């Protein structure tokens, strides 16, 4: 099978959230589609081991917040490369609770949101297809484009965790930029490129990895410098 062709399937990027009791969690998801218009339904695909999946299965509700193109990598990393079993991802995030579901929806880095109630779940080996009725939706008045997976991957040089439906162990996160001679994060796959530096952390272009401050962390997942190795 020539898996390269799968790289040409287009996706967006979203934060999908759910609740369990007084706990809340969310994760980055690429696989969100509108299934039908009338009734308005939506389908998402999540890893069956994700905490968010567990919450959705128990509570039967979730929200989808739509990320804009200029979403900081750190923000994507917070939701994409951390587990809600270890941290509260919403601790320092601006959010509201959905009017219909009481599930968090992003106030920052969001073009709007959808609230959904689960209609059916189809198990597909490692993942679940979750089909749901849209019970509320709101568009924020922001003049921005949505973030696509291809922009995240090719322009922002972003990676996907192993739990993603489009991650495959034979390919890893290949297919991005030429990364020869750089340092890469063993946790999330982020590449530190000295030519680019790390503008989000005020690291000037031209700064070698060895000269990064000791307290510098991976801009995507927050890993410390010792989790990096030479590419
Ligand atoms: Fe990382």
């Amino acid at each position: 099978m020539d898996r390269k062709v799968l790289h040409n399937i287009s996706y967006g990027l979203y934060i999908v959230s759910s609740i369990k009791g007084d706990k809340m969690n969310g994760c980055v998801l690429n696989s969100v589609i509108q299934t039908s218009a009338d009734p308005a339904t939506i389908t998402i695909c999540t890893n069956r081991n994700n905490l968010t999946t567990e919450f959705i299965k128990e509570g039967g509700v979730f929200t989808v917040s739509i990320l804009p193109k200029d979403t900081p990598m750190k923000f994507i990393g917070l939701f994409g490369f951390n587990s809600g079993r270890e941290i509260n991802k919403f601790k320092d995030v601006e959010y509201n609770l959905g009017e219909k579901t009481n599930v968090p929806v992003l106030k920052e880095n969001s073009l709007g949101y959808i609230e959904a109630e689960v209609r059916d779940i189809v198990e597909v080996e490692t993942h679940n297809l979750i089909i749901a009725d849209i019970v509320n939706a709101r568009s924020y008045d922001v003049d921005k484009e949505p973030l696509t997976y291809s922009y995240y991957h090719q322009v922002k040089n972003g990676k996907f965790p192993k739990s993603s439906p489009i991650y495959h162990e034979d390919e890893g996160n290949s297919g991005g930029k030429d990364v020869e001679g750089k340092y890469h994060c063993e946790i999330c796959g982020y590449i530190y490129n000295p030519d680019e530096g790390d503008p989000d952390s005020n690291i000037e272009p031209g700064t070698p990895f060895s000269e990064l401050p000791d307290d510098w962390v991976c801009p995507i997942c927050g890993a410390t410098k010792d989790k990096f190795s030479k590419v």
Side-chain angles (χ1 to χ4, degrees), residues 138-191:
R138 176 163 297 193
S139 184
Y140 294 147
D141 191 18
V142 280
D143 187 20
K144 288 182 180 176
E145 283 180 59
L147 178 60
T148 62
Y149 171 68
S150 111
Y151 186 84
Y152 167 76
H153 187 53
Q154 290 171 12
V155 180
K156 291 164 106 66
N157 204 17
K159 311 296 176 190
F160 252 93
K162 289 182 179 175
S163 60
S164 163
I166 57 176
Y167 179 92
H168 190 269
E169 60 185 3
D170 291 348
E171 304 168 286
N173 276 304
S174 63
K177 285 179 180 174
D178 177 10
V179 292
E180 204 179 340
K182 318 297 190 292
Y183 278 76
H184 92 282
C185 172
E186 290 163 11
I187 309 295
C188 75
Y190 164 81
I191 307 285

Side-chain angles (χ1 to χ4, degrees), residues 68-128:
K69 205 170 180 177
D70 63 358
T71 305
M73 292 298 276
K74 219 169 230 168
F75 191 84
I76 298 171
L78 167 68
F79 282 93
F81 290 98
N82 289 284
S83 170
R85 293 185 176 91
E86 282 147 27
I87 64 161
N88 174 5
K89 299 185 189 180
F90 283 96
K91 188 170 157 275
D92 298 316
V93 167
E94 287 183 49
Y95 65 90
N96 288 319
L97 294 178
E99 297 92 327
K100 291 285 171 65
T101 58
N102 228 27
V103 175
V105 293
L106 298 182
K107 267 171 81 178
E108 57 176 323
N109 297 314
S110 177
L111 299 180
Y113 61 87
I114 293 159
E115 292 184 78
E117 285 178 8
V118 176
R119 174 187 275 253
D120 201 5
I121 296 179
V122 181
E123 298 196 355
V124 188
E125 302 290 339
T126 54
H127 286 72
N128 289 305

